[in-house]
Amino acid sequence: MVTQSSDSIIIVGAGVIGLSVAWRLAGRGAHVTVFDKGKAGSGASHAAAGMLAACTELEPGEDWLLPLNRESQRLWPGFAAELETATGLSVGLRGEGTLHVALNADEQARLRHHFALQEKAGLPVEWLPAGEVRAREPLLASTSGAVWSPEDHQVDNRKLAAALRAAAIGAGVDLREDAAVERIVIENGRAAGVEVGGERHAASTVVLAAGAWSRSIGGLTPDIRPPVRPIKGQMLAVGMDAGNPLIRHVVWASGVYLVPRIDGRLIVGATAEERGFDDRLTAGGILSLLQNAWRALPGIEELPLIETWAGFRPGSRDDAPILGPGPVAGLVYATGHHRNGILLTPVTADIVSRFILDGEHDPLAAPFALERFHAHAA
C-alpha cells in the first residue's frame, strides 16, 4: 500500500537538523513528513552540549570548514529569535562567550600555538593574561592565561530540540515518532519515498538526516550510502546554585569543556570514542571527565552529580557534514555533522530547504557534497 502524495517531502530523522529543515520547508508551504525511529530530539540532539564554538574548535587542516561554521554562527541570534517568537519557547541562547584556559606552562605553549592558528585564520579571538582570566572567572584554578572567544556562545540543545519540534508541528509538519524508516525507495534512478513498517510512503524528495544512523538506512547502494559512523561521547552534569554559579562562561580546559546552563546545570564533556553504538557508561570515561573538570574548577567536587549519559556524534569519513543533493535525483543529504550539529543547524536548514524549493546550490555547501568521497576513492 502506498500513502501520501508523490509531491510531498519526507525527512528521515527528527533531530535538530531534520526538524529545522522541516520547519523551513513547511513555512514555505511544502507538505512535509518527518519519520524517526524514536522520539524527536532524543539522539545526538539530546546528548549534545550546545556549544556554538566555531572559533574555539578550529583544528589544523579544518580551514575549509570555517566559512560554513562562521556563517551558521552569524545566523544563530536571528534563528533563535525567530524560533522563540514562533513557539513562545526559550532555546537558552547565551552570549557570554568562551574561555579556553591553560593550567600550566606546557598547556600554555600548546594553547599559544592554537591561538596563532586562530589568528592566522582571521578569527575574533584575544589572549588574556592570568589576571584577566581570574577577574572574569574567579573560581577557576590558577591559569597561565586563556584564549577569549567572544563570539563562541551556547544554546540549550534540549530546549532547542523541543522548540523545533513545536515549530515544525505548528507549521504543519506531520511528525511520525517511533516510526523507523526501513529503507529509502529508489525507482527509475530517483528517490520515490520510504518504507516504514512494511508500508510505502511516496514522496518527490527524501532528506536523509538520520545522524549517526544514516548509513544503516536500507535501500541505499554503496555509491549513495553516506560514510557516517557513530562517535561515542560520554558526558555528565552537576548542579550549581543557579543564582550563584561557579562559572558563567563556557570554559575549555585540557581534556574537558564546561558549559553552564541558566538553570544551574553544569554540563561536563566529553569523551570521543570509536565504539560503534555501545552506549554504556564506563568508569574510566566518567573518571577522566571529573578529574579534568576538577583540575580546572576545583569547586566542582562539592556539587551534586545529577545526570550521566552517552550519545553518538555522526562523523563522516573526514568529520565534515554531507549536505545537499547526491548522485540520485530526489535524495538530499543533511548528515555527518560530527561535533557541530547544533552550531550548523541554521545554515543547514537554509541550504537544504533552498535547494529543495528553489533549486539553489549554495556555494557554501559545495565542498560538502557526497561526491567528494567518490573523488577520493578514485
Side-chain angles (χ1 to χ4, degrees):
M1 178 179 178
V2 179
T3 63
Q4 297 181 231
S5 167
S6 60
D7 63 357
S8 65
I9 301 165
I10 288 177
I11 297 175
V12 184
V16 295
I17 296 296
L19 289 172
S20 63
V21 172
W23 178 42
R24 285 288 185 240
L25 292 170
R28 291 186 55 188
H31 182 265
V32 184
T33 302
V34 179
F35 291 95
D36 196 281
K37 65 182 184 60
K39 301 299 182 185
S42 63
S45 300
H46 182 82
M51 295 178 294
L52 310 178
C55 303
T56 302
E57 294 207 73
L58 176 67
E59 297 289 346
E62 291 189 351
D63 302 53
W64 65 300
L65 279 167
L66 264 182
L68 187 74
N69 288 349
R70 289 287 284 158
E71 173 61 12
S72 203
Q73 193 174 56
R74 185 191 70 79
L75 292 173
W76 250 106
F79 181 81
E82 182 183 357
L83 184 56
E84 290 180 342
T85 298
T87 63
L89 300 174
S90 170
V91 299
L93 181 65
R94 296 182 61 170
E96 292 90 347
T98 295
L99 291 169
H100 190 172
V101 302
L103 301 177
N104 55 44
D106 287 342
E107 290 180 9
Q108 182 187 33
R110 289 193 294 271
L111 188 56
R112 282 281 192 182
H113 181 75
H114 187 247
F115 177 60
L117 177 70
Q118 293 171 308
E119 284 197 310
K120 184 178 180 181
L123 295 176
V125 293
E126 178 183 350
W127 181 268
L128 299 182
E132 181 63 24
V133 179
R134 173 70 65 178
R136 297 189 184 214
E137 290 291 2
L139 296 183
L140 286 177
S142 296
T143 74
S144 300
V147 175
W148 163 237
S149 297
E151 296 182 13
D152 281 3
H153 303 317
Q154 64 148 307
V155 65
D156 189 321
N157 48 288
R158 296 181 182 180
K159 291 182 178 180
L160 171 65
L164 282 169
R165 182 184 187 278
I169 292 173
V173 171
D174 182 4
L175 176 61
R176 310 283 186 93
E177 298 174 302
D178 301 313
V181 170
E182 294 149 9
R183 71 184 183 101
I184 295 173
V185 179
I186 309 293
E187 289 182 347
N188 300 318
R190 67 168 297 117
V194 301
E195 188 173 292
V196 180
E199 183 177 4
R200 178 173 163 181
H201 301 261
S204 58
T205 302
V206 176
V207 180
L208 182 53
W213 289 267
S214 294
R215 185 180 178 87
S216 64
I217 305 297
L220 304 177
T221 55
D223 60 317
I224 61 173
R225 185 181 301 122
V228 176
R229 71 199 190 282
I231 302 174
K232 178 181 178 180
Q234 299 184 55
M235 301 177 68
L236 61 93
V238 294
M240 302 185 294
D241 179 350
N244 189 29
L246 296 186
I247 57 172
R248 298 183 184 276
H249 299 78
V250 174
V251 173
W252 282 60
S254 180
V256 75
Y257 53 74
L258 307 170
V259 186
R261 296 289 197 235
I262 295 170
D263 63 3
R265 286 164 53 91
L266 179 63
I267 310 301
V268 180
T271 65
E273 307 167 57
E274 300 280 358
R275 301 288 185 184
F277 286 106
D278 179 359
D279 64 355
R280 292 174 295 181
L281 297 169
T282 65
I286 298 301
L287 176 62
S288 69
L289 293 176
L290 287 172
Q291 284 181 324
N292 289 324
W294 175 80
R295 286 184 66 241
L297 187 65
I300 198 173
E301 68 180 359
E302 302 293 335
L303 301 180
L305 180 64
I306 57 178
E307 187 182 358
T308 56
W309 67 95
F312 302 106
R313 309 171 187 90
S316 72
R317 195 178 300 153
D318 56 12
D319 291 334
I322 303 170
L323 300 176
V328 171
L331 179 58
V332 180
Y333 298 86
T335 187
H337 291 77
H338 194 231
R339 64 183 186 270
N340 290 320
I342 304 299
L343 168 65
L344 292 174
T345 294
V347 77
T348 299
D350 285 355
I351 286 171
V352 172
S353 62
R354 282 189 280 113
F355 169 75
I356 292 171
L357 297 179
D358 304 325
E360 180 179 337
H361 292 264
D362 193 312
L364 276 175
F368 307 105
L370 179 70
E371 282 83 353
R372 73 186 188 270
F373 301 110
H374 301 157
H376 291 166

